[in-house]
Amino acid sequence: MKDLRGKIAVVTGGGTGMGRELTEQLAAAGAHVAICDVSSENMAETKRLAAARAPAGVRITTHVCDVADERQVVAFRDAVKSEHATGHVNLLFNNAGIGGGASFLEDERTDWDRTFGVCWFGVYYCTRAFMPLLVASDDAYLVNTSSVNGFWACLGPTMPNTAYCAAKFAVKGFSESLVVDLRLNAPHVKVAVVMPGHIGTSIVLNTPTVLGKPDALQMPAKDVAAIRSQLVKRGVPIGDMADDQLRAVMHQLAVSFRDNAPTTAAQAATIILDGVRDDRWRILVGADAQALDRMVRETPERAYEASFTQALQEQGYMRPFM
């Protein structure tokens, strides 16, 4: 799919981050784009930015949808068919994601289920809903965003990340299984699994809202206490830091995750679209993703040891914010 002009693309999680940048770059290339997100305000800004770069005649639509709710996904699909007056789509970017549910043992099940629901079932429901429209096109691409946490199931030896990692492993396996399935049963539809490293997005800032919780600066005392306990277990010298100081630190960490990443969301979107144009089914995003992929393959049994993370950080990758 070298030429995106006139193609119809669907992007989930289009309100911020990679979803916003994909929307902008797709529109700039002449594709019509339908985006969904849980924030209408964020989508409105994405649409404004994308429309400013789009050639005349490009259509950009926004749709409020929680991808973890299959009924909302089906309604989103039907709205895309109606507003774009189409019986097909050419591109589906399953990009929406949140964090949360880091510990299977200690975190609340509601957080775990919500994170897994968005990051895995969002991909599954959207693929189920839009696959007939992809098949109905003459040239189509399904692009599923996994993560380096789809082959490295933690954030280091002191940082479990179970819900997110479990979901991203599922996305990777599902996408790879479709390589053969589509080749046999719908050869004009291709699939790609995207595995980004640390990308500058607002996922850490946005996650509390999706989980129905206040942001870091408004965290209740019990949540502050839980974070304090986690940091102490990790050996972080927080000492007698006051609760408000810890809230401010956690907020700044979320901002730094977005603003100080080694790969920007715009760069990530470019890499993804270049992968689509090159007919690739496996798209690693960022030098950190390349390094992690190589190291996990070389020494899989060391992947969850402190020495593995130390070697990774000595190469300049995945350095902790705290």
Side-chain angles (χ1 to χ4, degrees):
M1 194 176 292
K2 301 291 186 184
D3 189 356
L4 299 177
R5 286 176 298 177
K7 298 293 193 291
I8 301 174
V10 175
V11 180
T12 71
T16 59
M18 290 195 302
R20 173 175 288 177
E21 296 294 341
L22 282 167
T23 301
E24 286 193 53
Q25 293 185 30
L26 285 162
H32 307 289
V33 191
I35 67 174
C36 80
D37 201 280
V38 294
S39 170
S40 57
E41 181 180 355
N42 288 343
M43 283 193 292
E45 177 63 7
T46 296
K47 182 175 181 178
R48 183 188 69 81
L49 293 168
R53 299 178 58 182
V58 164
R59 183 166 180 75
I60 304 164
T61 61
T62 62
H63 310 264
V64 175
C65 175
D66 176 357
V67 295
D69 183 332
E70 188 170 15
R71 289 175 298 180
Q72 292 189 40
V73 169
V74 170
F76 170 43
R77 178 205 61 198
D78 291 345
V80 171
K81 291 171 64 178
S82 175
E83 295 191 32
H84 287 261
T86 185
H88 77 278
V89 299
N90 302 99
L91 295 143
L92 171 60
F93 294 87
N94 281 316
N95 164 79
I98 61 170
S103 172
F104 188 82
L105 282 73
E106 296 188 356
D107 287 332
E108 297 177 11
R109 176 170 176 168
T110 52
D111 291 355
W112 207 101
D113 289 350
R114 180 69 171 135
T115 300
F116 191 80
V118 171
C119 294
W120 160 241
F121 279 108
V123 172
Y124 173 69
Y125 292 150
C126 288
T127 303
R128 276 286 183 198
F130 284 95
M131 182 60 77
L133 301 185
L134 292 169
V135 173
S137 72
D138 56 3
D139 187 18
Y141 229 118
L142 168 64
V143 184
N144 295 329
T145 300
S146 178
S147 167
V148 292
N149 290 129
F151 54 75
W152 187 53
C154 69
L155 294 174
T158 63
M159 295 181 67
N161 197 26
T162 62
Y164 186 82
C165 292
K168 295 304 186 179
F169 266 75
V171 171
K172 178 176 180 288
F174 174 58
S175 302
E176 292 195 16
S177 71
L178 286 176
V179 171
V180 171
D181 196 355
L182 289 169
R183 187 179 295 158
L184 291 173
N185 296 303
H188 62 295
V189 182
K190 296 184 173 67
V191 62
V193 58
V194 177
M195 289 169 286
H198 178 187
I199 309 301
T201 73
S202 298
I203 187 171
V204 180
L205 287 165
N206 293 340
T207 289
T209 300
V210 182
L211 293 177
K213 297 185 173 186
D215 63 27
L217 294 174
Q218 306 300 323
M219 273 193 299
K222 67 179 183 64
D223 290 348
V224 176
I227 288 174
R228 187 186 299 277
S229 175
Q230 292 168 11
L231 293 176
V232 168
K233 284 182 181 179
R234 287 164 48 191
V236 178
I238 57 175
D240 297 324
M241 185 180 292
D243 281 5
D244 280 345
Q245 288 179 294
L246 188 51
R247 290 184 180 98
V249 167
M250 298 309 296
H251 173 73
Q252 187 54 49
L253 286 174
V255 172
S256 295
F257 182 92
R258 180 193 64 196
D259 295 346
N260 300 323
T263 305
T264 67
Q267 290 168 332
T270 298
I271 292 168
I272 293 167
L273 292 180
D274 284 348
V276 168
R277 292 185 178 98
D278 291 339
D279 285 343
R280 292 167 55 198
W281 71 262
R282 191 171 191 268
I283 304 171
L284 294 173
V285 183
D288 50 356
Q290 300 280 351
L292 254 174
D293 179 54
R294 182 187 69 253
M295 290 175 63
V296 170
R297 288 172 181 275
E298 289 173 350
T299 57
E301 293 189 1
R302 286 186 55 220
Y304 305 111
E305 304 302 322
S307 59
F308 180 92
T309 305
Q310 182 179 349
L312 186 65
Q313 292 172 357
E314 286 174 353
Q315 296 178 55
Y317 305 120
M318 298 294 177
R319 289 176 174 167
F321 281 90
M322 175 177 279

